[in-house]
Amino acid sequence: MTAKLFAGVALAVTIATVLSARAADEKTIGDVLTESKDHKILVEALSAQRLIDTLKDGEWTVFAPTDAAFKKVDEATAKTFADRATLKAVLQGHIVKGKLLSTDLVKLDGKELETLSGAKFKVVVEGKNVLVGGAKVSKLDVP
């Protein structure tokens, strides 16, 4: 159910950003997201699930839907987010352990990525576009 739900959300989310944590003296993914004017809904959801703190340690890649992308999610799907376990699984479905840059994603064309939730999504390269789970990655390599 959760994987099916996430797949539907991934298709509705047409804008994603790849964010990777770097050295300890640089901003963390949590910092970058918190400072972003376009990711307020995601930060609120991650904070409510205590996942924003998880992103402060280690290397992660987050396919971060913008507020505009969240607003495209249909009402029925949005209602399922009231269930904490469902929301957490959906959020974890946007997080991959390790640092993936655009050059890494291109090499993964046709292969699957496993997310923190355990869901797997295919990487597809179409010309200059990279899609993960059917969602177009609009901004790559945000440090």
Side-chain angles (χ1 to χ4, degrees):
M1 163 69 180
T2 302
K4 184 177 179 183
L5 173 67
F6 179 75
V9 173
L11 292 174
V13 176
T14 57
I15 301 175
T17 306
V18 178
L19 302 166
S20 297
R22 291 196 178 175
D25 60 334
E26 294 182 16
K27 290 181 182 179
T28 66
I29 293 171
D31 296 334
V32 173
L33 286 172
T34 300
E35 293 171 5
S36 170
K37 64 178 175 49
D38 297 321
H39 294 91
K40 295 193 181 310
I41 295 171
L42 179 61
V43 168
E44 184 178 325
L46 288 168
S47 295
Q49 295 294 322
R50 296 191 174 104
L51 290 171
I52 201 84
D53 293 331
T54 300
L55 300 175
K56 292 186 178 183
D57 294 317
E59 290 193 331
W60 304 94
T61 299
V62 177
F63 297 94
T66 62
D67 293 345
F70 270 108
K71 290 176 183 175
K72 290 181 181 180
V73 174
D74 66 84
E75 189 175 329
T77 301
K79 283 183 180 180
T80 65
F81 296 160
D83 178 69
R84 290 183 57 86
T86 300
L87 178 59
K88 186 172 186 173
V90 169
L91 293 171
Q92 288 177 329
H94 285 81
I95 302 170
V96 177
K97 184 119 176 103
K99 177 180 168 183
L100 292 174
L101 298 173
S102 56
T103 52
D104 301 317
L105 289 173
V106 169
K107 291 176 190 172
L108 292 172
D109 185 27
K111 296 187 171 87
E112 290 185 329
L113 287 176
E114 184 169 352
T115 67
L116 196 55
S117 71
K120 294 182 182 180
F121 296 98
K122 192 172 188 177
V123 176
V124 176
V125 178
E126 294 178 347
K128 293 183 179 183
N129 294 319
V130 176
L131 294 98
V132 177
K136 181 181 174 187
V137 179
S138 64
K139 201 170 190 181
L140 297 163
D141 304 336
V142 176

